[in-house]
Amino acid sequence: MARGKPGSKMQVLSHTNGLPLRVGLSAANSLGLKPIVAHFHIGYESHSVHSKPQGLHADNAYDVPDLRQWLHSHIGVRIARKGIDSSERLGRQRWVIERTISWLTGYRRLSPRYERHPRNYLAFLGLAAAICCDKRLGKLTM
């Protein structure tokens, strides 16, 4: 049995400018990164260089050998190593995802989690991501 805290964890894949590209939900004691990366694609043509993400930055919670190996086969990855990499060095890229998660948890239905059913919470999470994208794209195009 996996040990850890009960509950759920928000999984967010974001663009370098902070747009939430894909959101998911996993158990708080599991790593839900594989499904998000495995089913992610951008609607470009398949022969395009930009048809898949070029790199992924993750914190040391994802420093698991099989996950690291699986990610290397799908995408360029930079995962903090436990006990080696400091948070100051990774902070240059990590603030983007922290800001995105802050945008998402700014919606009252998402933090704290009021929804009992995961599908309802995931629906509100997707709606919040769409609103964040709309607001952010509005600012970028002005």
Side-chain angles (χ1 to χ4, degrees):
M1 182 171 143
R3 294 174 48 169
K5 63 181 184 177
S8 60
K9 182 169 36 173
M10 189 185 313
Q11 301 286 336
V12 180
L13 192 64
S14 82
H15 191 268
T16 55
N17 63 10
L19 290 174
L21 299 174
R22 187 165 171 100
V23 293
L25 191 63
S26 68
N29 58 355
S30 72
L31 300 174
L33 189 61
K34 275 187 183 180
I36 288 184
V37 173
H39 297 101
F40 183 77
H41 64 85
I42 301 174
Y44 296 115
E45 298 173 18
S46 61
H47 64 274
S48 172
V49 174
H50 302 289
S51 63
K52 72 174 192 171
Q54 302 299 308
L56 177 107
H57 292 271
D59 64 5
N60 61 4
Y62 297 99
D63 188 21
V64 179
D66 354 336
L67 180 63
R68 185 182 287 273
Q69 183 180 10
W70 183 85
L71 285 169
H72 274 299
S73 67
H74 286 80
I75 189 173
V77 65
R78 173 70 176 97
I79 298 176
R81 293 167 293 175
K82 291 180 182 171
I84 298 173
D85 292 329
S86 69
S87 60
E88 286 111 22
R89 233 178 105 201
L90 296 171
R92 287 174 274 173
Q93 291 87 20
R94 186 150 176 211
W95 70 272
V96 176
I97 191 67
E98 295 296 337
R99 180 184 62 183
T100 304
I101 290 174
S102 174
W103 289 342
L104 293 173
T105 57
Y107 292 97
R108 198 168 47 153
R109 293 294 284 215
L110 298 178
S111 182
R113 180 177 168 176
Y114 292 113
E115 299 301 322
R116 290 186 62 132
H117 297 290
R119 68 176 182 271
N120 294 347
Y121 183 77
L122 191 58
F124 280 117
L125 184 59
L127 183 60
I131 292 170
C132 285
C133 284
D134 183 51
K135 287 180 177 180
R136 183 73 180 151
L137 287 172
K139 288 180 183 177
L140 290 174
T141 57
M142 287 184 169

